[in-house]
Amino acid sequence: MITKWSVSNFKSIANEVELIIAPLTILAGANSSGKSTILQSLLLVSQTLSNKVNSRSVVLNGHVVKLGQFDDLRSASISSDQITIGWELQPKVVDGRKSMSDLRYALSNDKLVSVSGKLAFDASPEGPQRDEYQLHPQLLAFELSAITRDEENIDQRSTISCLRNTDAIGKSNQLQIDNIENDVARESLNYDVSLDDDSFA
């Protein structure tokens, strides 16, 4: 069950807004107050995460919702190009047992308390691919974390994050890689992946 949802720089929402979502949540307000914006951000994340194409782009126009191009989504009231959407999920309790619907997890004896995610995307403001990025904005950053509780009721957070690297050539030099023929391997240099210390160990 979604328990929190946050949005920033998305349509009518300029500064970050965080909503606490309960089992029953009603969005009410005047016209143009952001009700549709919240729903569209939910649908945007849903269709992006369910997309099977490994293009590392946000799916603005898909089978769930059609939102136009990036500049149609970015809030006009701030200068930032980056749109950010975040969420928190908690297992729902069914017949006294926790379940994450179709999400299967194996965390030894630890209990899953919550899963949270946050993605940021933008369109390259300059360059020859600007028109393409307007329709297929690139992920700038993505973070996924889980909180688990062990048998002693101690919570542990595990986090993985991906951040777009603006210097892929410098990274290939640092890794002492001269020529990468594989497209997937070459494109992977565009992102830096990090784990929290415990997960890395």
Side-chain angles (χ1 to χ4, degrees), residues 143-197:
E143 182 176 284
L144 185 66
S145 63
I147 296 177
T148 56
R149 185 167 294 148
D150 64 18
E151 293 173 346
E152 298 172 354
N153 278 337
I154 298 173
D155 287 353
Q156 172 73 35
R157 179 182 291 272
S158 302
T159 303
I160 182 169
S161 62
C162 294
L163 180 65
R164 191 185 317 149
N165 179 351
T166 56
D167 184 19
I169 295 172
K171 186 175 181 181
S172 65
N173 290 340
Q174 180 185 8
L175 296 172
Q176 299 177 349
I177 302 171
D178 293 330
N179 188 15
I180 303 174
E181 296 178 8
N182 183 307
D183 289 341
V184 174
R186 185 171 47 253
E187 288 180 18
S188 71
L189 293 176
N190 294 326
Y191 290 86
D192 292 328
V193 178
S194 62
L195 295 167
D196 60 276
D197 291 341

Side-chain angles (χ1 to χ4, degrees), residues 5 7 9-13 27 32-44 67 73 85:
W5 194 262
V7 181
N9 196 24
F10 187 75
K11 299 187 93 172
S12 62
I13 300 174
L27 297 177
S32 300
S33 62
K35 301 181 301 292
S36 296
T37 298
I38 294 296
L39 295 175
Q40 288 173 343
S41 70
L42 282 157
L43 296 173
L44 172 63
L67 297 171
L73 300 180
I85 303 173

Side-chain angles (χ1 to χ4, degrees), residues 95-112:
D95 297 329
R97 293 184 357 206
K98 286 186 176 180
S99 105
M100 284 293 274
S101 183
D102 292 332
L103 180 63
R104 307 287 185 247
Y105 56 90
L107 298 165
S108 65
N109 294 324
D110 294 349
K111 295 178 183 174
L112 183 62

Side-chain angles (χ1 to χ4, degrees), residues 127-148:
Q129 294 180 306
R130 173 164 169 69
D131 291 341
E132 179 186 342
Y133 287 156
Q134 281 293 311
L135 293 174
H136 305 286
Q138 300 297 291
L139 281 174
L140 176 64
F142 182 79
E143 182 176 284
L144 185 66
S145 63
I147 296 177
T148 56

